[in-house]
């Protein structure tokens, strides 16, 4: 009796079993979320249905900016080679969306052929029509960087009526489509002529709900002096604060991303440090790709649930026979009240609701009589997915991360600074003297010896208490001084001889100059008399 109840309970207690994260995402979407989306016409309002290629594709980086901010040059800098269809100039040169992807043979695939390829994640772009597809190509080439990521180059954002009239397709809608599917969105600005046009502002607003993917690059920063750069950076942050309505500040990377000499090299170290930070961020994308897709599926499921409540509420309010048109106008005008009621009844966060104005515009063209009433079973399945299956996939994500080798973007500009004397920070801080024949600490050792012999050494060594009296003069926190002690006390006897004391002072100097301490003592910092002990 009531065997169906027991089966349902068992199913809820025992989530689905998946072999891989990618397979799990596909199965959950097709069996649990897609039926809800189709029933309430989610795809007509928000985003087309997902396909297998959306779950299988490599991480993608979307570059957005006004013309002549260096988007195409940035890709050229990363790849360290030209790609098919590349055009660079001060005028608006890139007039197409170019998906730069890995391929065994160099060549270009036109948009109409691209949207029928089931292995590429672009099939749903077909909805934007020929005006867009004639301006969309895929540039394929064999390149080590593209083995791990793909890059989407976009047309430079124009100003005035050019943006709205000459495109022939909904530029902001296309960018929004890409924003939902990419792993990183990089907004490029030109430090030499900083300006956020109304059109660029609208594009950034269209990328709302994807702030977690956004990064900002203030490019061509070598063309202005340090004082001007500070002012430009401040102006950019102020402008972004007005457009991107988030309490958190978007990460801004300052640099000059091309292979030419720096025009004003004053901020070279800053540019190198910023470049390394940006590279690390991009290199992490393959490692976090599965987690990003899982996160996007959760966001999509939450939106689909809210959409179902909205559509079913509108259906419930519609009269069965007379006065449908007037009631429809009334409901559209009072949509904010319907949002508020749904929010209270179902305890839904206001941030989960779609944009009110846009939803009202879309509803004007819809036939409310074709909307479906609330079907609790479909919503329960999605709730079950979010409560149980997603948790299991999270565990699987961590398992895959530990079992697979570390995935990082390699090749191109990512290789140039990894090894050798041009690696970031080479020969600086704790790395100073790495190539010297003599011990680098010996330069200042006479000065450190004078202090050492005032600290009452016994048998050539000073106690930890006496060393502490001198080391705390640096005003560094105890946690830092404790790490320095651990690095300097090479023979681990709880005391410091003159070489170890000199080494401790050298490491204090490194830290006071703003450099990080090494986790292990580099070989070139080992005192000469202690090198046999270390071996």
């Amino acid at each position: 009796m009531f065997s169906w109840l027991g089966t349902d309970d068992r199913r809820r207690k025992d989530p689905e079993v998946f072999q891989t994260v990618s397979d799990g995402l596909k199965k959950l979407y097709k069996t649990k979320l897609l039926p809800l989306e189709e029933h309430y016409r989610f795809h007509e309002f928000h985003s087309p249905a997902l396909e297998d290629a959306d779950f299988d594709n490599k991480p993608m980086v979307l570059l957005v900016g006004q013309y002549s901010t260096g988007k195409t040059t940035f890709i050229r800098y990363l790849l360290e080679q030209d790609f098919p269809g590349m055009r660079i100039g001060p005028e608006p040169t890139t007039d197409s969306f170019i998906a730069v992807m890995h391929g065994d043979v160099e060549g270009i695939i036109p948009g109409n052929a691209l949207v029928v390829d089931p292995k590429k994640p672009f099939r749903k772009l077909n909805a934007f029509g020929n005006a867009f597809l004639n301006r969309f190509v895929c540039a394929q080439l064999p390149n080590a960087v593209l083995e791990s990521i793909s890059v989407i180059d976009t047309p430079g954002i124009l100003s005035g009526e050019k943006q709205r009239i000459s495109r022939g397709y909904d530029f902001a809608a296309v960018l929004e489509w890409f924003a939902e599917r990419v792993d990183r969105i990089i907004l490029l600005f030109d430090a030499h002529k900083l300006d956020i046009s109304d059109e660029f502002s609208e594009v950034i607003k269209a990328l709302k709900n994807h702030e977690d993917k956004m990064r900002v690059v203030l490019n061509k920063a070598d063309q202005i002096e340090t004082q001007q750069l500070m002012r430009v950076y401040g102006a950019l942050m102020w402008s972004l604060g007005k457009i991107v309505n988030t309490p958190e500040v978007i990460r801004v990377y300052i640099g000059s991303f091309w292979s030419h000499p720096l025009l004003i090299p004053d901020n070279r170290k800053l540019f190198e440090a910023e470049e390394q930070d940006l590279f690390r961020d991009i290199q992490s994308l393959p490692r976090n790709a599965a987690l990003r897709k899982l996160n996007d599926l959760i966001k999509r499921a939450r939106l689909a649930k809210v959409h179902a409540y909205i559509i079913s509420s509108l259906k419930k309010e519609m009269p069965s026979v007379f006065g449908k048109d007037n009631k429809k106008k009334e409901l559209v005008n009072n949509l904010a009240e319907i949002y508020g009621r749904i929010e209270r009844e179902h305890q839904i966060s206001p941030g989960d609701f779609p944009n009110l104005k846009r939803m009202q515009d879309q509803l004007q063209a819809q036939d409310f009589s074709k909307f479906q009433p609330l079907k609790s079973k479909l919503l329960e399945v999605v709730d079950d997915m979010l409560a149980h299956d997603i948790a299991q996939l999270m565990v699987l994500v961590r398992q895959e991360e530990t079992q697979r080798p570390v995935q990082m973007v390699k090749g191109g500009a990512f290789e140039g600074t990894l090894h050798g004397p041009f690696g970031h920070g080479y020969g600086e801080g704790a790395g100073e003297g790495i190539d010297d024949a003599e011990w680098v600490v010996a330069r200042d050792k006479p000065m450190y010896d004078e202090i050492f012999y005032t600290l009452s050494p016994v048998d050539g060594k000073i106690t930890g208490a006496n060393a502490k009296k001198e080391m705390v003069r640096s005003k560094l926190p105890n946690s830092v001084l404790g790490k320095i002690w651990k690095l300097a006390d090479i023979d681990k006897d709880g005391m410091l001889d003159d070489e170890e004391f000199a080494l401790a002072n050298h490491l204090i100097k490194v830290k006071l100059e703003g450099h990080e301490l090494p986790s292990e003592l580099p070989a070139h910092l080992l005192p000469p008399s202690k090198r046999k002990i270390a071996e």
Side-chain angles (χ1 to χ4, degrees):
M1 187 177 179
F2 298 133
S3 60
W4 57 271
L5 183 63
T7 303
D8 190 55
D9 282 347
R10 277 198 305 273
R11 187 186 66 76
R12 292 191 180 198
K13 287 176 187 172
D14 302 322
E16 303 236 16
V17 178
F18 308 114
Q19 297 302 315
T20 67
V21 175
S22 180
D23 289 341
L25 289 170
K26 289 180 204 172
K27 189 172 181 183
L28 286 181
Y29 177 70
K30 288 177 182 174
T31 60
K32 300 194 174 184
L33 183 54
L34 185 59
L36 179 73
E37 292 182 354
E38 290 175 338
H39 193 69
Y40 293 104
R41 304 165 77 167
F42 177 87
H43 308 136
E44 296 177 30
F45 288 84
H46 302 289
S47 175
L50 299 177
E51 296 189 328
D52 286 354
D54 291 308
F55 298 105
D56 294 333
N57 68 308
K58 295 171 188 170
M60 293 193 289
V61 178
L62 177 69
L63 300 183
V64 182
Q66 296 178 170
Y67 73 87
S68 194
T69 52
K71 296 185 298 298
T72 307
T73 306
F74 181 83
I75 299 173
R76 169 73 180 76
Y77 182 72
L78 290 186
L79 304 184
E80 292 189 342
Q81 73 177 95
D82 294 348
F83 57 88
M86 184 185 88
R87 288 176 61 210
I88 296 174
E91 75 284 1
T93 48
T94 303
D95 64 344
S96 301
F97 281 80
I98 303 177
V100 186
M101 307 181 82
H102 186 267
D104 295 331
V105 180
E106 193 171 307
I108 287 181
I109 304 172
N112 281 291
L114 202 54
V115 295
V116 296
D117 186 350
K119 293 182 180 178
K120 296 280 194 298
F122 306 122
R123 281 161 57 99
K124 297 298 180 179
L125 283 169
N126 193 46
F128 293 103
N130 270 329
F132 166 71
L133 295 179
N134 290 335
R135 289 280 179 267
F136 178 44
V137 297
C138 174
Q140 287 191 323
L141 67 156
N143 184 281
V145 174
L146 299 176
E147 289 177 8
S148 306
I149 60 170
S150 301
V151 187
I152 311 295
D153 193 10
T154 62
I157 294 168
L158 306 172
S159 58
E161 290 299 301
K162 293 177 185 175
Q163 175 74 9
R164 287 185 285 274
I165 295 171
S166 63
R167 298 256 188 228
Y169 59 89
D170 192 337
F171 182 75
V174 173
L175 278 181
E176 193 174 351
W177 186 95
F178 276 109
E180 288 179 4
R181 289 157 176 80
V182 300
D183 297 70
R184 187 66 74 236
I185 302 167
I186 297 180
L187 305 176
L188 280 100
F189 294 87
D190 185 342
H192 196 51
K193 45 179 190 245
L194 182 64
D195 173 45
I196 302 180
S197 67
D198 292 342
E199 288 68 29
F200 195 12
S201 176
E202 289 303 313
V203 164
I204 295 173
K205 287 176 182 175
L207 302 177
K208 195 183 177 206
N209 301 326
H210 303 290
E211 289 92 348
D212 57 320
K213 299 179 182 180
M214 278 192 199
R215 302 290 184 271
V216 173
V217 168
L218 185 58
N219 202 11
K220 305 185 182 181
D222 64 319
Q223 297 184 8
I224 54 178
E225 301 281 352
T226 303
Q227 188 177 14
Q228 289 176 301
L229 182 59
M230 289 173 62
R231 290 174 180 163
V232 168
Y233 178 79
L236 175 61
M237 297 302 291
W238 181 81
S239 301
L240 287 173
K242 292 178 69 178
I243 301 168
V244 184
N245 296 317
T246 56
E248 300 86 10
V249 177
I250 292 180
R251 177 67 164 96
V252 177
Y253 300 92
I254 304 171
S256 183
F257 295 91
W258 66 345
S259 53
H260 294 256
L262 298 175
L263 293 178
I264 301 174
D266 299 3
N267 299 305
R268 183 187 186 102
K269 283 193 175 182
L270 169 67
F271 298 160
E272 288 174 357
E274 293 284 280
E275 181 182 280
Q276 288 306 306
D277 285 351
L278 178 60
F279 281 5
R280 275 194 290 270
D281 186 64
I282 295 173
Q283 284 181 304
S284 71
L285 295 180
R287 189 171 66 249
N288 300 324
L291 205 54
R292 193 275 303 170
K293 287 169 185 171
L294 185 61
N295 183 56
D296 283 356
L297 186 71
I298 295 168
K299 282 202 295 190
R300 189 181 179 101
R302 291 167 71 94
L303 179 59
K305 276 181 59 183
V306 172
H307 179 77
Y309 285 128
I310 295 169
I311 296 300
S312 59
S313 294
L314 294 171
K315 173 68 175 178
K316 186 179 178 182
E317 296 289 335
M318 284 296 288
S320 55
V321 183
F322 300 111
K324 290 185 179 181
D325 288 344
N326 289 334
K327 188 64 176 176
K328 174 181 172 180
K329 289 178 184 176
E330 180 189 328
L331 289 170
V332 171
N333 290 333
N334 297 332
L335 190 60
E337 294 176 15
I338 295 171
Y339 274 21
R341 189 171 70 245
I342 294 170
E343 183 184 331
R344 290 189 300 273
E345 286 179 7
H346 302 283
Q347 290 81 49
I348 295 171
S349 167
D352 286 349
F353 284 82
N355 180 272
L356 179 64
K357 178 70 171 66
R358 182 175 171 184
M359 193 68 176
Q360 287 174 321
D361 293 341
Q362 290 174 319
L363 286 170
Q364 299 284 2
Q366 294 289 334
D367 182 356
F368 284 20
S369 63
K370 292 182 180 177
F371 287 172
Q372 298 294 330
L374 192 65
K375 194 172 181 180
S376 299
K377 187 67 178 173
L378 288 173
L379 288 161
E380 286 171 9
V381 168
V382 173
D383 284 335
D384 179 55
M385 176 189 84
L386 292 171
H388 301 98
D389 298 314
I390 293 295
Q392 189 203 1
L393 274 183
M394 282 293 295
V395 174
L396 197 56
V397 165
R398 297 304 176 203
Q399 287 177 354
E400 286 190 0
E401 284 179 355
T402 55
Q403 290 169 4
R404 290 180 180 176
V406 177
Q407 294 176 293
M408 288 183 71
V409 182
K410 296 179 181 177
F414 299 99
E415 295 291 327
T417 57
L418 280 181
H419 308 291
F422 296 100
H424 178 60
Y426 188 92
E428 300 173 5
E432 183 186 354
I434 190 170
D435 295 325
D436 294 354
E438 293 185 4
W439 188 38
V440 66
V441 182
R443 298 173 193 169
D444 297 319
K445 190 170 182 296
M447 178 178 65
Y448 299 142
D449 282 349
E450 288 181 18
I451 302 170
F452 177 79
Y453 288 110
T454 65
L455 298 174
S456 309
V458 177
D459 296 332
K461 295 190 175 188
I462 58 172
T463 63
N466 285 345
K468 181 180 177 181
K469 290 176 187 175
E470 178 60 31
M471 291 172 70
V472 294
R473 291 174 182 268
S474 67
K475 300 181 181 178
L476 288 171
N478 284 347
S479 58
V480 175
L481 293 174
K483 184 174 182 180
I484 290 172
W485 173 273
K486 190 175 177 182
L487 291 169
D489 184 15
I490 294 161
D491 52 15
K492 309 300 178 192
D493 62 352
M495 305 178 81
L496 299 181
D497 62 20
D498 60 323
E499 287 184 329
E500 290 173 329
F501 180 74
L503 174 60
N505 279 277
H506 178 76
L507 292 172
I508 287 172
K509 179 180 141 190
V510 165
K511 187 63 182 174
L512 290 175
E513 288 175 351
H515 301 286
E516 290 300 317
L517 294 171
S519 53
E520 293 182 7
L521 193 69
H524 72 279
L525 286 183
L526 278 169
S529 65
K530 302 286 192 299
R531 289 178 185 175
K532 287 183 180 178
I533 297 174
E535 290 171 4

